C-alpha cells in the first residue's frame, strides 16, 4: 500500500475515532427544514425553551486526546507491507476503540508514559525462532502529541509476547 493511501486510511480512522462517525442522524435532514414559516417559528421557540431547560454537555477539552491507529502486516518494513489488520485505540477520557483489549492496552501505555519501546518481552514467553517478520505501525495522537511508530518483530508469537495486550490484536 503506498504511503499516501496509508496516511489517508490512518487519518480517516483517527478522525472517526476522535470525532465519531458521521452517519445516521448526523447526516439526516432536520425535520423543521420542510416545515412552513409559521411552524418553523414555533419549532425554534420550542428548541430555545428546551435549550434553557437542559444543560449543555460538558466540554471534551478536559483531557488531552489519545487516539491511535495500529496496523499490522507481514513483511520487513511498513513501506513494503500491505496492512492486514487495523484497530483503533482511544485512551482519554475512557478506553475505547476496536482494539480487543482497549482497557489493558491503555493501562500499559500509561504505565510507560506512551513510550512504545518500553513495552518489553513478557516473562516466560516461549516462541520459536522462525523468521516470518511482522510489522506493527502506530500513528495518531498520544496525550495531545502526534506520534508515529514502526516496529518489526521476528514473528507473530514474538509480537504478541511484548507487553501484555498492546501489540496483541
Amino acid at each position: 500500500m503506498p504511503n499516501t493511501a496509508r496516511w489517508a486510511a490512518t487519518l480517516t480512522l483517527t478522525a472517526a475515532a476522535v470525532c465519531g462517525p458521521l452517519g445516521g442522524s448526523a447526516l439526516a435532514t432536520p425535520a423543521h427544514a420542510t416545515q412552513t414559516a409559521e411552524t418553523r417559528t414555533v419549532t425554534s421557540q420550542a428548541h430555545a425553551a428546551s435549550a434553557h431547560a437542559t444543560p449543555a454537555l460538558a466540554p471534551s477539552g478536559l483531557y488531552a486526546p489519545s487516539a491511535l491507529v495500529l496496523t499490522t502486516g507481514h513483511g520487513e518494513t511498513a513501506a513494503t507491507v500491505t496492512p492486514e489488520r487495523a484497530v483503533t485505540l482511544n485512551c482519554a477520557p475512557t478506553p475505547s476503540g476496536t482494539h480487543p483489549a482497549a482497557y489493558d492496552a491503555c493501562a500499559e501505555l500509561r504505565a510507560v508514559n506512551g513510550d512504545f519501546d518500553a513495552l518489553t518481552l513478557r516473562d516466560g514467553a516461549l516462541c520459536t525462532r522462525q523468521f516470518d517478520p511482522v510489522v506493527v505501525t502506530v500513528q495518531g495522537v498520544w496525550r495531545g502529541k502526534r506520534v508515529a511508530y514502526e516496529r518489526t518483530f521476528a514473528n507473530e508469537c514474538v509480537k504478541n509476547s511484548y507487553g501484555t495486550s498492546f501489540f496483541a490484536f
Side-chain angles (χ1 to χ4, degrees):
M1 172 182 267
N3 281 340
T4 305
R6 184 183 310 276
W7 277 103
T10 300
L11 291 174
T12 301
L13 288 171
T14 303
V18 172
C19 301
L22 289 177
S25 63
L27 296 177
T29 304
H32 59 67
T34 59
Q35 297 172 346
T36 63
E38 294 83 25
T39 57
R40 208 175 288 140
T41 304
V42 172
T43 304
S44 63
Q45 290 172 350
H47 283 286
S50 67
H52 294 295
T54 57
L57 294 175
S60 62
L62 296 175
Y63 302 96
S66 292
L68 303 171
V69 177
L70 292 78
T71 64
T72 185
H74 288 298
E76 294 187 22
T77 65
T80 61
V81 170
T82 300
E84 297 169 0
R85 179 161 180 173
V87 296
T88 58
L89 180 64
N90 303 319
C91 293
T94 58
S96 63
T98 60
H99 193 287
Y103 183 82
D104 294 334
C106 288
E108 283 180 20
L109 277 181
R110 280 190 213 102
V112 296
N113 201 22
D115 182 7
F116 304 111
D117 286 323
L119 297 171
T120 58
L121 189 62
R122 185 175 59 233
D123 290 337
L126 299 174
C127 294
T128 64
R129 291 186 177 187
Q130 173 187 3
F131 186 70
D132 184 16
V134 177
V135 176
V136 173
T137 63
V138 180
Q139 296 172 342
V141 178
W142 174 255
R143 293 188 175 167
K145 294 183 181 178
R146 182 118 174 85
V147 295
Y149 177 79
E150 176 183 333
R151 187 169 189 171
T152 304
F153 297 94
N155 57 46
E156 195 78 28
C157 176
V158 174
K159 175 186 79 81
N160 291 337
S161 65
Y162 269 76
T164 309
S165 60
F166 183 76
F167 291 120
F169 63 93

